[in-house]
Amino acid sequence: MTTQPPELLEFRYELIEDGIGHLIFDMPGRTMNVFSNRAIHESEAVADWLKTSGLKGLVVSSGKSSAFCAGADLGELAQAYAMIIAAPESARWQIGRDHFAPIGRSFRKLETAGVPVAFAINGLALGGGCEFALAGHYRVLADTPSTALGLPESLVGLLPGGGGTQRMPRLVGIEAAMPVLLDAARFTPADAVAAGVAHRVVPAGQEIAACVEWIRGNPQPQQPWDRDDYVIPSAVEVSARLAALRHAREEETGGHYPAVTAILDCVEFGMPLAMDAAVSKEIDIFADLIKRPEPRDMISSLFLGKQIWQKQRKADALPKAYDAIAAAITRAWADVAARFERQAVESAASWARLTTAVPTDGQARPVPAEVLGEHQGIAATGTWIDAPQGQDQIIAGALLGAAVVAALEDGAELDPDARRAADFHCINAVGFPAYLGGPFALYDSIGSEGIRRLIAPVAG
């Protein structure tokens, strides 16, 4: 006799046949599933119920035709950042940890509930959706061009905080996992099976039946890392395997992209631990990362701004102000560069990770600080941008501050959504550093006083 799960809103439950349940991820009013706070807590409630459900197996699938799950609800993540940063600095880490720990705890409960769990995946399973699937014991992928597994959190300055940095390298190996974790590489269905991250590929529409077939075989509901014969690698071994990659990424990013370092730390310090301790280590590192400004600003521009920009482009309605802002920033950079030796400007731009060359054909005009007005910053960033030191940082700060002034001059009439889209445009069109989110994001972050400090060497 099986029991019913707790009341659910973002999932549906039905019985496929005697002893085999079916959990359907189907957020109401959404065309695509994302892992909202409610979905996280509902998945934990299901995992708790599963232990005494009486089921001999559970199939998990999506009720959406578009995808299995697109990842986290990044809008909620932005709200969580605001909540964390509003707290006293000494309390932020614990608040962040407490807020985000449920997803890793939920998935760990799912894989240790003693009931075989199979995932039927048709379409994208990214971010939290991929992590959810990795906590299952069996994964069947539909053979379609849109089906893929991936962990793209690094693209918006985050790390997979639901066990992804631990399960992925345990399944496919450290070397094969790193492009997925650091560069948002995806596994197609065939590649996923070949790598060991999925078990079977079937024609679209047959994935649920394939999961039921597996459950009927009475499989052992145990993950490889929970078996007695699993060999935990030593800390020395893991560090050695990551050393060259860590060095290369530090050279590439200059330390400006903390998600890269955090992901490498999760793997290096989590892989030598048993899974419970490894998931705990991952959320410790996540709590450090989420209170930093880079994820907030990268989510604002590279996710929310990108979505707005793409919708505007699709409707052939991109505001002309975006190109005007980009052109104004280029002119402002040329004017700042005219005040310094060319080699010094190139060194500063490289240090700050501007991704296009700074023109040097400008005039040494002062940056008009009066454009800034009075705008309160969100909080000190804790990064170099708060108080530039040394020639590279001072020149880089002047360039970035001048870009903010130029953006404000040509984008004064833009609403907040359009400013996010303009930030995305500036990152791509003129090479504004992505870790700072764009000129408007930087203005919001450190306020008018912060920008005045940056442009002090070149202001009128």
Side-chain angles (χ1 to χ4, degrees):
M1 187 72 178
T2 61
T3 62
Q4 289 294 306
E7 183 178 351
L8 303 171
L9 177 64
E10 303 200 350
F11 294 88
R12 291 186 284 113
Y13 176 76
E14 57 191 33
L15 207 59
I16 293 178
E17 61 181 59
D18 186 29
I20 300 180
H22 187 191
L23 184 70
I24 305 162
F25 196 179
D26 195 10
M27 296 181 73
R30 302 285 288 261
T31 58
M32 188 173 290
N33 295 320
V34 294
F35 255 103
S36 64
N37 288 331
R38 186 179 184 101
I40 290 167
H41 289 287
E42 287 187 5
S43 66
E44 182 172 17
V46 168
D48 287 334
W49 159 77
L50 201 56
K51 295 178 183 179
T52 57
S53 64
L55 291 176
K56 64 180 181 182
L58 179 71
V59 177
V60 184
S61 72
S62 170
K64 309 296 185 187
S65 59
S66 54
F68 176 75
C69 176
D73 186 328
L74 293 182
E76 285 189 354
L77 275 173
Q79 295 170 11
Y81 176 85
M83 172 192 69
I84 293 166
I85 208 68
E89 188 172 356
S90 61
R92 291 172 187 169
W93 182 87
Q94 192 63 55
I95 291 171
R97 194 185 198 286
D98 291 345
H99 183 81
F100 291 103
I103 189 168
R105 183 174 68 222
S106 166
F107 296 165
R108 185 65 180 142
K109 286 180 177 181
L110 185 71
E111 68 185 5
T112 58
V115 175
V117 179
F119 279 76
I121 298 171
N122 188 331
L124 294 175
L126 302 177
C130 180
E131 292 179 289
F132 191 25
L134 296 185
H137 306 101
Y138 194 72
R139 286 167 290 281
V140 177
L141 307 186
D143 189 12
T144 72
S146 64
T147 299
L149 299 175
L151 298 168
E153 286 87 347
S154 63
L155 297 183
V156 290
L158 290 170
L159 64 85
T165 67
Q166 304 307 308
R167 292 186 182 89
M168 184 62 76
R170 282 167 170 80
L171 287 169
V172 305
I174 291 174
E175 288 75 15
M178 298 320 294
V180 180
L181 292 169
L182 294 176
D183 304 318
R186 298 177 181 181
F187 287 110
T188 66
D191 290 342
V193 172
V197 75
H199 300 85
R200 188 174 174 188
V201 179
V202 298
Q206 297 182 22
E207 56 273 10
I208 292 173
C211 288
V212 171
E213 179 185 340
W214 175 76
I215 290 171
R216 286 175 181 159
N218 296 312
Q220 288 296 311
Q222 195 173 40
Q223 296 281 32
W225 42 85
D226 290 324
R227 295 174 187 156
D228 291 338
D229 60 354
Y230 181 75
V231 178
I232 297 177
S234 71
V236 171
E237 176 190 349
V238 176
S239 295
R241 292 169 68 180
L242 287 173
L245 178 62
R246 184 183 285 276
H247 177 75
R249 292 307 172 105
E250 287 173 353
E251 288 287 312
E252 177 186 340
T253 67
H256 296 309
Y257 290 83
V260 172
T261 300
I263 289 168
L264 288 165
D265 286 347
C266 283
V267 177
E268 181 165 353
F269 303 125
M271 287 291 287
L273 303 175
M275 184 58 80
D276 286 321
V279 170
S280 181
K281 174 61 70 175
E282 179 188 78
I283 202 64
D284 285 348
I285 296 171
F286 186 93
D288 269 327
L289 182 62
I290 195 62
K291 62 187 179 70
R292 294 182 59 96
E294 294 92 348
R296 175 200 68 213
D297 294 338
M298 292 175 74
I299 288 170
S300 175
S301 58
L302 298 179
F303 178 73
L304 300 175
K306 179 180 179 180
Q307 285 189 323
I308 296 162
W309 188 92
Q310 288 178 330
K311 287 178 182 177
Q312 291 173 333
R313 184 181 64 173
K314 186 175 181 180
D316 196 23
L318 283 172
K320 293 181 179 178
Y322 296 170
D323 283 333
I325 290 169
I329 289 174
T330 300
R331 291 193 300 270
W333 281 352
D335 289 346
V336 170
R339 291 170 171 263
F340 303 97
E341 294 291 334
R342 180 168 186 166
Q343 187 175 359
V345 173
E346 291 175 352
S347 177
S350 174
W351 183 87
R353 295 311 191 262
L354 275 66
T355 58
T356 59
V358 174
T360 57
D361 58 348
Q363 302 177 28
R365 289 179 287 232
V367 177
E370 63 273 10
V371 173
L372 293 168
E374 296 300 326
H375 184 64
Q376 183 68 39
I378 295 170
T381 69
T383 70
W384 73 274
I385 206 75
D386 291 332
Q389 302 293 319
Q391 180 173 264
D392 277 352
Q393 293 185 20
I394 289 170
I395 297 175
L399 289 167
L400 296 171
V404 172
V405 171
L408 290 172
E409 283 189 297
D410 280 77
E413 303 304 316
L414 297 180
D415 63 26
D417 280 348
R419 287 189 170 197
R420 291 188 183 95
D423 277 341
F424 172 74
H425 188 79
C426 289
I427 289 169
N428 289 280
V430 297
F432 195 96
Y435 64 89
L436 293 171
F440 292 109
L442 180 57
Y443 184 55
D444 286 340
S445 186
I446 64 175
S448 52
E449 284 306 307
I451 300 301
R452 285 189 180 96
R453 287 194 300 271
L454 294 182
I455 64 171
V458 293

